[in-house]
Amino acid sequence: MAKETNDKNQLISLADAASIYGFSHDYLRHLALRKRLKAQKIGGIWLTTRDNVEEYITSRQRRGVYRDDVTPD
């Protein structure tokens, strides 16, 4: 897991983001592939930032199974 830091623009893996925000790695990868989560694949590893994940969380629309227990930091 990445070091805890206040820099929300530091790159973190989707696995780390999943652990931090309570999503599954596969779900975040799905969002990245569909361009709903800003992320980039470098050397076979998907990377994003805390800021990008929080931007996705605040932009979500209530549809389907909506988790209201997930909020930005």
Side-chain angles (χ1 to χ4, degrees):
M1 184 193 237
K3 284 192 296 185
E4 291 298 317
T5 179
N6 290 333
D7 184 3
K8 292 189 177 193
N9 292 313
Q10 178 182 2
L11 290 175
I12 58 173
S13 70
L14 290 189
D16 287 342
S19 175
I20 293 166
Y21 292 98
F23 293 111
S24 75
H25 173 269
D26 288 337
Y27 179 68
L28 293 181
R29 184 176 53 82
H30 174 79
L31 293 174
L33 288 169
R34 294 192 179 275
K35 308 254 190 268
R36 294 190 57 211
L37 172 65
K38 292 178 188 171
Q40 53 190 314
K41 193 172 186 179
I42 299 175
I45 298 173
W46 280 99
L47 300 171
T48 190
T49 65
R50 286 177 176 253
D51 196 44
N52 289 339
V53 177
E54 291 179 13
E55 183 179 314
Y56 163 72
I57 291 169
T58 58
S59 72
R60 294 182 305 157
Q61 296 178 359
R62 289 185 179 267
R63 58 182 170 201
V65 178
Y66 181 85
R67 288 184 53 195
D68 59 1
D69 64 321
V70 178
T71 58
D73 285 345

